[in-house]
Amino acid sequence: MRDSIQLLCSDIDGTLLNADRWLSDATISAFAKVGLPLILASSRPPQAMRYLQEGLGNLGEALIAFNGGLIIGKDGTIIENNSYDTQVLSTLIPHHTKHSYNLSIYSNQHWFTDQEDEWSLREINNTRATPIYQAASESLDFLNNKKLGIHKLMCMGAPEELDSLVALLEPLYSDKVHLYRSKDTYLEITPKYIDKAKALAVLLKKEHNFGLEAVMAFGDNHNDDELIRRVGKGVAVQNATPTLKSLADYTSPFTNKEDAVAKAIHKFLIAD
């Protein structure tokens, strides 16, 4: 197995991070010991991934942000930018003004949200990113004036409010965006035809001389499905969804809080 794997790719939340939402010593040690390139692939924006690269000692390595919406190469250049226009946001804002859910708007390095609440504070704690607080209409004007697309809209709040938002947007934009519920209280709105596997394939073609068959990847949730299915060795952590486990080549008996990734690296790639 060690000879056939040339690169590692990992999801972050629910997969790589421990109960303290940080990298355990065992995880840092395993990546250092195996000595293979590591690509982080996440729904997070890039600024919420680089501090983890720094902790792993590979700051400056390529990364896949927004589930494949933004692919950034080793030299910091944008390899591929997949976003959607602001019409979805224009439609969403009137609905948002009548409800209490948090609306977070992500475009490149920008994170806008209109209020400091439990949801925005939780994201700040989880990702170490800092938002700009302003009305959604101001953010819309900014994006239009700068001619910037949207990489992700994230709505966090009561499930019934998010249900009504899905009912509004799905008939209008099902050909443009993917409405993804990571949990009942979270709705992520991302470009329709992206996923981590497609993004990784583009990145490998640009910066390496091998394909997905030479990659071992780790994940836990639905946005990892294609990645785990298509790589040479797909590993699901124990807390993964049933679907992801069914797609994986190996399901760890350990959760992310029990160093599942580090233990899988030792099991398959580091000889005792």
Side-chain angles (χ1 to χ4, degrees):
M1 175 61 68
R2 178 63 174 87
D3 293 337
S4 64
I5 299 299
Q6 299 186 56
L7 182 141
L8 303 175
C9 182
S10 184
D11 172 55
I12 295 174
D13 299 288
T15 300
L16 194 63
L17 304 186
N18 60 19
D20 297 322
R21 304 196 69 81
W22 182 238
L23 303 155
S24 71
D25 291 342
T27 296
I28 294 171
S29 174
F31 282 116
K33 192 171 182 180
V34 74
L36 291 172
L38 167 65
I39 304 299
L40 296 179
S42 174
S43 64
R44 292 182 176 211
Q47 68 269 30
M49 300 170 69
R50 291 198 176 98
Y51 76 94
L52 295 170
Q53 288 185 320
E54 188 171 5
L56 290 161
N58 74 336
L59 185 62
E61 179 60 86
L63 58 81
I64 296 168
F66 302 120
N67 287 333
L70 193 61
I71 308 170
I72 302 177
K74 282 184 180 180
D75 58 0
T77 59
I78 305 301
I79 294 175
E80 190 168 285
N81 183 354
N82 299 292
S83 60
Y84 54 91
D85 63 53
T86 57
Q87 183 59 45
V88 177
L89 179 58
S90 298
T91 303
L92 191 155
I93 286 175
H95 182 277
H96 178 243
T97 59
K98 299 175 185 176
H99 296 85
S100 61
Y101 58 85
N102 177 281
L103 170 60
S104 285
I105 303 162
Y106 295 92
S107 176
N108 296 280
Q109 305 284 343
H110 304 293
W111 171 22
F112 304 107
T113 188
D114 61 350
Q115 57 186 329
E116 182 180 87
D117 56 16
E118 63 174 304
W119 303 103
S120 60
L121 290 174
R122 183 179 299 174
E123 285 302 299
I124 291 169
N125 179 68
N126 289 348
T127 68
R128 304 193 188 184
T130 303
I132 294 173
Y133 292 107
Q134 62 184 27
S137 57
E138 292 182 56
S139 301
L140 176 61
D141 289 341
F142 173 85
L143 295 175
N144 285 335
N145 289 336
K146 297 293 184 179
K147 295 181 170 55
L148 294 174
I150 294 171
H151 287 103
K152 181 173 72 169
L153 297 175
M154 185 160 68
C155 303
M156 301 171 284
E160 58 272 16
E161 292 189 352
L162 302 186
D163 290 342
S164 69
L165 180 57
V166 171
L168 169 68
L169 296 179
E170 200 160 47
L172 298 172
Y173 300 111
S174 61
D175 62 335
K176 180 180 291 189
V177 298
H178 177 59
L179 304 170
Y180 169 68
R181 298 287 282 270
S182 54
K183 56 181 72 173
D184 287 346
T185 53
Y186 280 74
L187 172 65
E188 297 185 28
I189 306 171
T190 57
K192 180 74 173 182
Y193 299 107
I194 63 166
D195 63 58
K196 294 179 182 180
K198 288 179 182 176
L200 183 57
V202 169
L203 177 57
L204 294 178
K205 185 175 181 179
K206 180 73 173 180
E207 296 195 341
H208 298 275
N209 60 355
F210 51 83
L212 293 174
E213 72 285 346
V215 175
M216 177 181 285
F218 310 91
D220 78 302
N221 217 326
H222 298 299
N223 58 341
D224 300 313
D225 284 355
E226 284 301 298
L227 178 66
I228 296 304
R229 183 180 71 82
R230 292 183 57 191
V231 295
K233 186 73 171 182
V235 177
V237 295
Q238 183 55 225
N239 51 292
T241 65
T243 298
L244 192 73
K245 290 178 179 179
S246 73
L247 296 170
D249 299 297
Y250 172 73
T251 297
S252 172
F254 304 103
T255 69
N256 63 302
K257 298 176 182 179
E258 300 169 314
D259 296 326
V261 171
K263 289 172 180 174
I265 289 172
H266 276 278
K267 178 179 177 66
F268 293 108
L269 300 177
I270 300 175
D272 293 333

